[in-house]
Amino acid sequence: MAVEREDDDKASDADGTGTKADASESKTADPKAVDPKAVDPKAVDPKIAAAVAAAEAAGVQSGEAVRLDSWIWSVRLVKTRSAGATACRGGHVRVNGERVKPAYSVRVGDEVRVRQEGWERVVIVKRLIRKRVGAPVAAQCYVDNSPPPPPRAAVAPAGIRDRGAGRPTKRDRRELERLRGLTGSGNPGHPGPPEGG
């Protein structure tokens, strides 16, 4: 088999391409050659790299400030900028442990805590951006230290009525309340059925 390889190498050198011999030698000789398995696939993806470059180009110049409500919207922690401002005013957003206003200037290294729907997102600011970007790029603008979200309660949809069945009767409403767990064993103000009768 070694003879065939030498012949193949000579043949490739003879036609001037030198592909097989050069390829095997370049892997060992070139110190800049990178093993594709050792590289992070997110860093190599050209779409993500282009999006990051665009976000940096449209990003903040040195010395400029970014509003907190704008930043948490840009990195997709809230759905709209006005929702971010409302969350700040309501005390659901904290920066370095303190309640802040929507116009607070965010800096690199700040810890931002956003409380939403029963759990809290904890992120450290890595990059300041003003414009909303895609999720892969947004994930590179902060370090996510959030605890895992709470498990969703597996609740069966209780009391779905057929379309056109009309209003539920009082008996139907009691059954729905019992299924939903809104009442224990009947109406607390009602004495219940007479005993022994």
Side-chain angles (χ1 to χ4, degrees):
M1 289 187 175
V3 174
E4 291 174 7
R5 280 191 181 166
E6 290 174 7
D7 292 338
D8 289 341
D9 291 341
K10 288 178 186 176
S12 64
D13 288 336
D15 64 12
T17 59
T19 54
K20 290 188 179 179
D22 292 342
S24 63
E25 291 173 4
S26 66
K27 287 181 184 176
T28 57
D30 187 9
K32 295 180 182 178
V34 179
D35 184 18
K37 294 178 184 175
V39 177
D40 184 19
K42 290 182 182 176
V44 176
D45 189 10
K47 291 180 182 178
I48 295 175
V52 169
E56 287 178 353
V60 180
Q61 304 299 329
S62 62
E64 289 186 42
V66 177
R67 289 174 56 109
L68 175 63
D69 58 348
S70 178
W71 187 81
I72 63 177
W73 167 73
S74 298
V75 296
R76 298 177 163 267
L77 295 177
V78 292
K79 291 187 179 183
T80 63
R81 185 170 168 262
S82 61
T86 304
C88 291
R89 280 189 228 105
H92 300 290
V93 180
R94 294 179 178 267
V95 176
N96 299 326
E98 297 181 20
R99 288 177 59 175
V100 292
K101 295 182 178 180
Y104 179 84
S105 296
V106 181
R107 295 183 209 99
V108 174
D110 283 347
E111 179 189 62
V112 178
R113 293 175 173 263
V114 181
R115 191 174 51 223
Q116 4 172 274
E117 300 174 7
W119 70 295
E120 189 173 49
R121 296 284 308 265
V122 180
V123 297
I124 307 293
V125 180
K126 275 178 40 179
R127 182 178 295 141
L128 297 177
I129 58 172
R130 246 191 216 119
K131 294 185 177 181
R132 191 167 173 96
V133 292
V137 179
Q140 295 182 2
C141 294
Y142 58 83
V143 177
D144 195 357
N145 293 335
S146 304
R152 293 185 178 185
V155 178
I160 296 177
R161 294 179 53 83
D162 293 332
R163 187 174 178 92
R167 282 185 64 176
T169 63
K170 190 170 188 177
R171 183 178 188 178
D172 292 338
R173 285 196 309 271
R174 285 184 186 148
E175 186 66 21
L176 289 173
E177 289 174 358
R178 187 185 64 77
L179 287 173
R180 290 181 181 151
L182 298 177
T183 59
S185 57
N187 189 353
H190 189 270
E195 292 185 25

